[in-house]
Amino acid sequence: MNLKFCLLGLLVLSACGPSKEEIYQEANAHFAKTEYKESLPLYEQLLIKDANNINLYPKLTIAYGMTGDWAKCVQYSEDALQKGQDLYEVYSVSALCYERLNQWEKAKTAYQVGMKKYPDQQTFHIRAGLLFFTQADYETSSQIFKKWADIRPQDLDINYNAAVSLEKSNQSDAAELYYRRILAIKPEHANASFGLGSVFEQKKQPALAIGFYEKALKSNPEHLSALLNLARLQETKQPQVALKSWQKYLVMAKETKQPESFIKKAESRIQALKGRG
């Protein structure tokens, strides 16, 4: 076989290979069926053959995010944004990938920019609110949850998140409104009753706080935080009632393997109250 025939054969084989369009269609078919792992080598192959196809970058962002390669997910999300592909899906997936990498500031930026561009994406906003809350940015978290609680007044979870973040950001009057909204819909919501107890403690109204802690325990007798706060507040005017509350708390704390510091605190208060006769 001469050299000319060999070169001709290679050209024929090359011509018979799949075109860029065919590879893209196959990759998209896998992507549409959530077969992200299968789609990735095809999209990567296309990057070499068709580097100007900017639609590849959002696809790669999503596919790498869905397959757990967080570093490549954020790499391609940044490429996508630089190339003007600022789609909702890019912000949504990249924010999660930044979270998985513990890159909190970049995650918060992705959420903040994404929320401005896509103000109606409730799930995205709620995820953002949760991130800001876990990062102790209660002010931002409360703004997000308050907005959506007013849009979805019947949604107990969103209203509860609004109440807690407002309470954490020292907006006790506003927090009270959202806790009360929850109880108006579901009177047996123990955490909302506990939240109101905490709010009234902050407002230095112990009698009201005690009433709501008791309400929380009536709805959920195993609400340890309510029992702890109740026992503490009862000490001033009802020491013997407080003693029984502490004793009950101690039993439950041991059963549920609470931190040793809480158990020792309960034991200390029980001894002190017994000493008071």
Side-chain angles (χ1 to χ4, degrees):
M1 184 181 295
N2 60 36
L3 180 59
K4 182 177 180 181
F5 185 80
C6 288
L7 290 174
L8 180 61
L10 289 172
L11 289 171
V12 170
L13 287 172
S14 177
C16 290
S19 67
K20 292 184 296 185
E21 290 74 16
E22 289 170 332
I23 297 172
Y24 193 46
Q25 288 176 4
E26 183 183 354
N28 285 340
H30 285 300
F31 190 93
K33 291 186 287 186
T34 67
E35 296 170 353
Y36 301 112
K37 187 175 180 180
E38 291 78 3
S39 73
L40 280 168
L42 297 170
Y43 285 132
E44 291 281 11
Q45 183 182 348
L46 280 168
L47 273 183
I48 299 172
K49 290 190 171 190
D50 192 11
N52 293 323
N53 187 347
I54 60 175
N55 295 317
L56 295 173
Y57 296 95
K59 301 280 191 178
L60 284 161
T61 298
I62 296 166
Y64 276 120
M66 293 302 177
T67 54
D69 192 331
W70 318 125
K72 285 191 175 180
C73 167
V74 300
Q75 171 194 328
Y76 282 114
S77 73
E78 290 169 0
D79 290 339
L81 293 174
Q82 287 174 1
K83 295 177 185 301
Q85 295 294 292
D86 54 345
L87 306 173
Y88 164 68
E89 291 79 8
V90 172
Y91 288 106
S92 180
V93 176
S94 67
L96 284 175
C97 292
Y98 283 125
E99 286 191 59
R100 298 297 185 272
L101 292 169
N102 296 329
Q103 295 181 12
W104 307 116
E105 292 306 316
K106 288 186 176 181
K108 288 191 284 187
T109 297
Y111 280 122
Q112 286 171 324
V113 176
M115 284 190 293
K116 287 180 181 178
K117 285 182 172 290
Y118 301 97
D120 299 326
Q121 293 289 343
Q122 176 184 329
T123 301
F124 183 71
H125 288 226
I126 298 305
R127 278 172 36 204
L130 291 171
L131 173 65
F132 283 107
F133 187 90
T134 59
Q135 293 297 300
D137 186 346
Y138 304 121
E139 181 66 33
T140 301
S141 179
S142 68
Q143 291 171 4
I144 295 169
F145 287 127
K146 185 175 181 295
K147 168 192 170 180
W148 286 99
D150 291 341
I151 294 172
R152 303 277 190 269
Q154 299 298 311
D155 190 313
L156 297 182
D157 289 338
I158 295 176
N159 278 272
Y160 182 73
N161 289 340
V164 172
S165 55
L166 285 163
E167 183 184 350
K168 285 281 192 179
S169 58
N170 298 314
Q171 301 179 65
S172 56
D173 288 340
E176 180 183 347
L177 293 175
Y178 290 93
Y179 283 133
R180 288 191 181 279
R181 179 188 286 177
I182 294 166
L183 290 176
I185 298 169
K186 187 177 180 180
E188 68 277 15
H189 195 295
N191 285 335
S193 292
F194 173 79
L196 279 173
S198 178
V199 163
F200 284 114
E201 266 206 82
Q202 289 181 22
K203 293 182 175 184
K204 302 189 183 305
Q205 296 177 266
L208 287 174
I210 286 172
F212 279 108
Y213 289 142
E214 289 174 338
K215 181 176 171 61
L217 286 164
K218 184 176 180 181
S219 299
N220 177 13
E222 297 181 353
H223 200 302
L224 275 176
S225 295
L227 184 55
L228 174 66
N229 288 0
L230 177 63
R232 186 168 41 75
L233 289 178
Q234 287 171 331
E235 287 191 24
T236 302
K237 293 185 177 181
Q238 298 175 293
Q240 293 310 302
V241 176
L243 174 61
K244 292 180 180 179
S245 294
W246 277 117
Q247 289 170 330
K248 183 179 179 181
Y249 174 83
L250 180 60
V251 171
M252 292 171 62
K254 287 181 176 179
E255 287 177 349
T256 56
K257 300 184 183 339
Q258 295 301 304
E260 189 65 24
S261 59
F262 286 81
I263 292 173
K264 288 188 178 298
K265 172 71 173 177
E267 291 173 338
S268 172
R269 296 315 306 149
I270 288 169
Q271 290 303 315
L273 289 166
K274 282 182 177 179
R276 289 167 60 176

